[in-house]
Structures are given as C-alpha cells and as structure tokens.
C-alpha cells in the first residue's frame, strides 16, 4: 500500500508508458488554451459560474449514487459494456453545465468539484489526487476544447444567424426536416447533434483507454488487457453519442431558458 | 413441464435480483429517506463534536483496512459504523434507513455479480473447488451474459466482494450527517483548496438535498395528475421512474434559476473582495478527537496484525 491507497506500479505489462500519458496531457492542455485564446473563450469565471458548477455537481451526485446504479440493474450484463448509466448521466449533466457557462475550463472545473463531492459522499478521498487528474484531463478537457472550437457556442445557442452548410451537410440532411432551405441548416437543431457526436466519441474512448490502460494499474495494479480495452472502447461509443446528443439538446434548452 | 417450471423460477429469481433493491429504495426508503441520511441536522453527541478532519481520516483508514483485509473485517466494520448511527439525532430512524440502504446495496451487488462470475475467476478464489450447483439457467439466459449455472461459490464470492464498499459508504455518510457544509469546507480550506472551488462545493452540498426534494415533489405532482393511474398497482414503480425522468429537465431549470440569485447575493456580500477569509468560530482539535485518533491507530494496528495472521486480501479484484 503506497501513498493514500495508490500502488504506484508503472511497470505492469501492457501499461501505457507514463511519458506518453504526460505528453498527451500537456499537449491537450496547451491546445485547449491555444484554441480558447484564439477564439476568445478564455475569460475569468464569475461567481455565478461557480454556483452553476456546484449545482451540476449536486445533480451528478444524485444521479451517480441514487439513480444510475439502479438503472444499471435493468441492463443485462451482456450489454453492460455498451451502456453504463452512471457515466452517461455524468456526461449529460456536464454538457448542460457547459451550455450554461461556455468558457474554457468549465469542463475541468465541473469534474474537479464533482470529484471532491463524490469523495465526501462515498469514495472517501482514497487514490486522490490521481482521480482528479484523470477526470479533469481525460474528460473535462474534451468539453473545453469543443467550447473553444465553436467560439463559445457549443450547442449553437447564443447565435442568431443560420450558417451555411458545407462540411456539416451529411449530418444536416439526416436531421433537418424538409422545411429547411437546402443550402442552410438550422443551427439550433443541428449543433446539438454535431456536439453530441464530436464529444461523445472521444469521451467513450478516453474512459477505457486511460483508466484501464494507465490509471487502474497505477492505482491498484489492475490487469491491462488490450483486447478488452479496445472492445469496450468500440462498445461504449454508440451510447455516449446517443446520450451526448440528448444531453446537448437538454443543454441547449436549459441555456436558452436561463441564458 | 419441467421446462416451464424452470423458466418461471429463473425469471422469478431474475426479477428478485433487479426488483428487491429497487423496492427497498423506492418503497421503504423513498427519496425523503435519502434526504435524511445525506443532510446535516443539529444535535450534540460525540460524533457531532469530532473534528471533520478526523472523520475524513477515519473514512480513509476504513477504506485502507477494508481493501487490505479479508471480507469479514469489512462486514464487521460495516456493522460497527452503522451502529454508530444510533447516536445521531433521530438515531433509530437513521439506523433503520442506513441499514436498508446498505442491505439494498448488498442485495443489488450480489445479484449484480453472482450470475456472471466465470469459472476461471472462481478457480483463482477457491483453488480446486468442486462447484455446488444451485440452479441451472435456461440456455437462452446466455443472451443476458449469465453463466450456465449458478454455483454456491459464485454467491459466496459476490457476497464477499460486496462488502468492499459498504463500510466506506456508511462512514462517509456520517461526515455528511454530523457536520454542516461550512464545517466540512473549512476543513478543505485547510488542505489549500481555493475559495472559489469551496463556494462551488458549498453550493453542491446544499443542493443535493434540494435536488432530492424537488424531484420528489415533481414526481408526486405527476402522480397526482394521474400518471399510470389506469394501470395495475404492480407497474407503479415503473411510472414512478417515468415521472422522475420527466421531471428532470424542469427540476434542473428551476434549481439553476435559483443559482443565478445565489450568485448575485454572494457577490453583493463581497465574495472574494479580500484575499483572506475570516471565521467566527474556530475548528480546533480537542481531547475527544485524540480518542478517535486512538481508535484509528488501533484499526491500523488491527489491519497489520490480521495481515500477519494470514487474513489479508485473498480475493482478486477485477
């Protein structure tokens, strides 16, 4: 037993070398800061942003400890690697938070606050600060980069003009109804769909890849089985994309109502 | 004839595994019950006077002991921590709800593991065991990922690993029930957590109970409007759930709206206007905390002794 329940074994067979992980984290952070500087989403949090973060963390606690585990009971184990309600719910609630705050760093802040809350309520601070780093830099940063790329309009809310469809045409034609003019797509309807897909895929990949491939062996000597990792990566993509789209629509709705 | 009987019993067992925890959660505990075991209420016994730092250390120690020792240590610790609930305000009720919560977690996780444990896993847990087959599932249960047979050993294994988290859960809830959010967060301040994050955490802790309360209200309103009233009573839990899902977005919007006001009122009171926070009441460590520390040290010593005696962690994690 090492420090605070961390085994700290970096030589487990099959583990991703820690140098790669560190370099990836550094590059992701630099890219997130670069893109949000360029598109000016890098601004200070206001007090109300912290309040929103706290409220979202409360929802995630309720979801993850009281609702999610019991929803999971309905999922047969054969399908359990395809959908985990706990993780999907966290994703959706964070999307709603991102829709409300729309600044660089909200994904990471949301994860950080929720992680500490989860420790107070159930996990008891074991393995910290590794879980904090894992959640913030593997998942939170995805939302931050997306906010940066979309210039602070992650779900199309905040923009009034319709955009010309060029590269999003494929997605647009599937989801827009016939009433739309063919060369224009309705931003408020298609952006959530795009956001759900673009964020859902890396979100689904990051979990198995970084946790089973790096943090699990580092924390408690978990066994690294690359076949299992690759399978659960593919298996969880559909559910994360689906619930990402639903969550994005919820986010768009909530942020339109609250503003 | 036998096939039909077989199928019916198998489905009954399956429904029990899914339904029993849900029944306990929704009927016996209810959202109100959850609120009671996750919210601070004023009272004055030794657990309320113990420093929150000590309680966090206690939870971490329990976690370390449980994960490094044999399963029945976890079971004993769960029972011990739960029995402390009786000293809390409205103790009997809290003990009752806490126990139900732990039992539902146990039943849920036993049935969540037992049918799926593979033979090879069991072989590493109980080397050279002879499987005692209790039940043979119909062949189509393989679609659900079930193993072909349910063995006594699989049940035993699931029962043992289910105790991994119960003691930690029970003791983490003590912290939440016996300290105000302010006290807990002041503790975090000692660990150099920035003020703005502490504000978020404070809001989060206060909001957890609101979320439960508003969801409860929204479900009740949906039921009052007649959701599922035309269907049989047995389907009620399902409609309960439908109502919860329908109430989710309105609840989020309602609470987030309130968040705006909270933000404004925190700002007008000069949040972060000065670099340092000041406190009216100090959190100090007194002799009571030393007694608890002694208990913690004894737990660690017990853990070491038990490991030397050969009762360390024998069950592999997956």
């Amino acid at each position: 037993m090492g420090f605070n329940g961390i085994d700290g074994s970096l030589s487990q067979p099959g583990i991703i070398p820690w140098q790669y992980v560190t370099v990836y984290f550094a590059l992701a952070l630099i890219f997130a800061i670069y893109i949000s500087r360029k598109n000016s989403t890098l601004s200070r949090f206001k007090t109300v942003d912290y309040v929103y973060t706290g409220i979202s963390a409360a929802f995630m606690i309720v979801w993850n400890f009281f609702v999610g585990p019991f929803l999971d009971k309905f999922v047969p184990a054969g399908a359990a690697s395809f959908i985990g309600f706990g993780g999907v719910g966290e994703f959706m609630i964070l999307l709603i938070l991102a829709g409300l705050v729309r600044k660089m760093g909200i994904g990471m802040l949301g994860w950080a606050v929720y992680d500490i809350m989860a420790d107070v309520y159930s996990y008891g601070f074991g393995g910290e600060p590794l879980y904090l780093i894992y959640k913030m830099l593997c998942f939170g940063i995805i939302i931050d980069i997306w906010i940066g790329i979309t210039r602070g309009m992650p779900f199309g809310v905040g923009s009034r003009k319709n955009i010309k469809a060029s590269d999003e045409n494929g997605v647009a034609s599937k989801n827009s109804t016939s009433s739309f003019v063919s060369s224009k797509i309705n931003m408020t309807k298609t952006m959530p769909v795009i956001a759900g897909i673009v964020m859902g895929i890396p979100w689904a990949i990051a979990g198995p890849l970084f946790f089973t491939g790096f943090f699990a062996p580092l924390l408690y000597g978990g066994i690294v089985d690359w076949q299992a990792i690759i399978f659960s990566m593919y298996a969880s993509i559909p559910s994360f994309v689906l619930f990402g789209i639903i969550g994005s629509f919820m986010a768009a709705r909530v942020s339109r109502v609250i503003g | 004839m036998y096939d039909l009987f077989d199928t019916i019993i198998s489905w009954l067992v399956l429904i029990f595994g899914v339904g029993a925890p849900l029944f306990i959660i929704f009927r016996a505990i209810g959202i109100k019950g959850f609120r009671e075991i996750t919210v601070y209420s004023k009272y004055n016994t030794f657990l309320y006077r113990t420093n929150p730092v000590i309680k966090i250390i206690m939870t971490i120690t329990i976690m370390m002991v449980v994960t490094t020792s044999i399963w029945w240590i976890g079971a004993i610790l769960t029972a011990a921590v739960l029995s402390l609930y009786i000293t809390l305000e409205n103790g009997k009720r809290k003990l009752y709800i806490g126990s139900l919560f732990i039992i539902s977690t146990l039943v849920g996780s036993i049935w969540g593991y037992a049918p799926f444990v593979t033979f090879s896993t069991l072989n590493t847990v109980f080397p050279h065991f002879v499987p005692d087959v209790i039940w043979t599932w119909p062949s189509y249960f393989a679609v659900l990922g079930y193993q072909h047979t349910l063995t006594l050993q699989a049940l035993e294994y699931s029962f043992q690993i289910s105790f991994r988290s119960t003691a930690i859960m029970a003791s983490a809830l003590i912290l939440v029930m016996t300290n105000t959010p302010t006290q807990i967060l002041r503790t975090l301040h000692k660990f150099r957590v920035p003020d703005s994050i502490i504000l978020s955490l404070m809001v989060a802790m206060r909001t957890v109970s609101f979320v439960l309360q508003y969801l409860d209200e929204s479900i009740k309103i949906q039921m009052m409007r007649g959701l599922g009233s035309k269907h049989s009573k047995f389907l009620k839990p399902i409609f309960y759930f439908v109502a919860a899902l329908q109430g989710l977005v309105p609840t989020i919007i309602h609470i987030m709206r309130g968040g705006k006001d909270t933000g404004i009122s925190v700002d007008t009171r000069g949040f972060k206007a000065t670099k340092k926070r000041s406190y009216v009441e100090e959190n100090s460590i007194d002799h009571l905390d030393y007694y608890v520390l002694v208990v913690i040290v004894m737990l660690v010593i017990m853990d070491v002794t038990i490991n030397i005696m050969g009762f360390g962690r024998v069950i592999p994690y997956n």
Side-chain angles (χ1 to χ4, degrees), chain A residues 1 8 13 17 22 25 33 43 45-46 48 64 91 93 104 106 116 133 161 165 189 206 214 230 232-233 240 245 258:
Chain A
M1 225 10 28
T22 323
F25 283 166
I33 292 171
S43 57
F45 288 127
K46 283 190 273 175
V48 69
N64 216 16
F91 183 36
I93 294 165
M104 150 78 194
I106 193 61
I116 300 174
I133 295 170
K161 60 173 190 281
K189 285 238 167 98
F214 182 72
I230 288 165
S232 60
M233 256 156 54
F240 272 101
I245 293 171
I258 295 172

Side-chain angles (χ1 to χ4, degrees), chain A residues 79-228:
Chain A
S81 43
F82 294 91
I83 183 162
F85 276 106
V88 164
E90 287 168 352
F91 183 36
M92 281 166 69
I93 294 165
L94 273 179
L95 288 180
I96 293 172
L97 175 65
L100 279 173
V101 178
R102 306 198 289 265
K103 285 172 191 163
M104 150 78 194
I106 193 61
M108 288 192 277
L109 177 73
W111 264 123
V113 171
Y114 165 65
D115 191 65
I116 300 174
M117 278 292 287
D119 279 336
V120 170
Y121 272 83
S122 182
Y123 298 137
F125 292 96
E128 294 297 358
L130 275 184
Y131 280 110
L132 204 63
I133 295 170
Y134 160 65
K135 299 265 161 93
M136 284 167 76
L137 291 180
C138 292
F139 299 116
I141 205 149
I142 297 171
I143 289 183
D144 294 336
I145 291 176
W146 179 247
I147 291 174
I149 291 172
T150 54
R151 293 156 208 258
M153 291 177 274
F155 308 108
V157 177
S159 67
R160 256 174 248 108
K161 60 173 190 281
N162 291 347
I163 57 158
K164 265 190 189 144
S166 50
D167 49 334
E168 292 103 346
N169 226 341
V171 185
S173 60
K174 251 185 245 164
N175 295 287
S176 56
T177 51
S178 54
S179 63
F180 293 124
V181 189
S182 63
S183 66
K184 284 183 175 183
I185 54 169
N186 189 330
M187 192 97 163
T188 53
K189 285 238 167 98
T190 48
M191 263 318 255
V193 176
I194 300 167
I197 294 168
V198 172
M199 283 190 273
I201 292 172
W203 199 283
I205 291 174
L209 182 68
F210 286 108
F211 193 76
T212 329
F214 182 72
F215 283 99
L218 180 65
L219 279 162
Y220 52 84
I223 300 152
V224 187
D225 177 358
W226 276 98
Q227 255 180 330

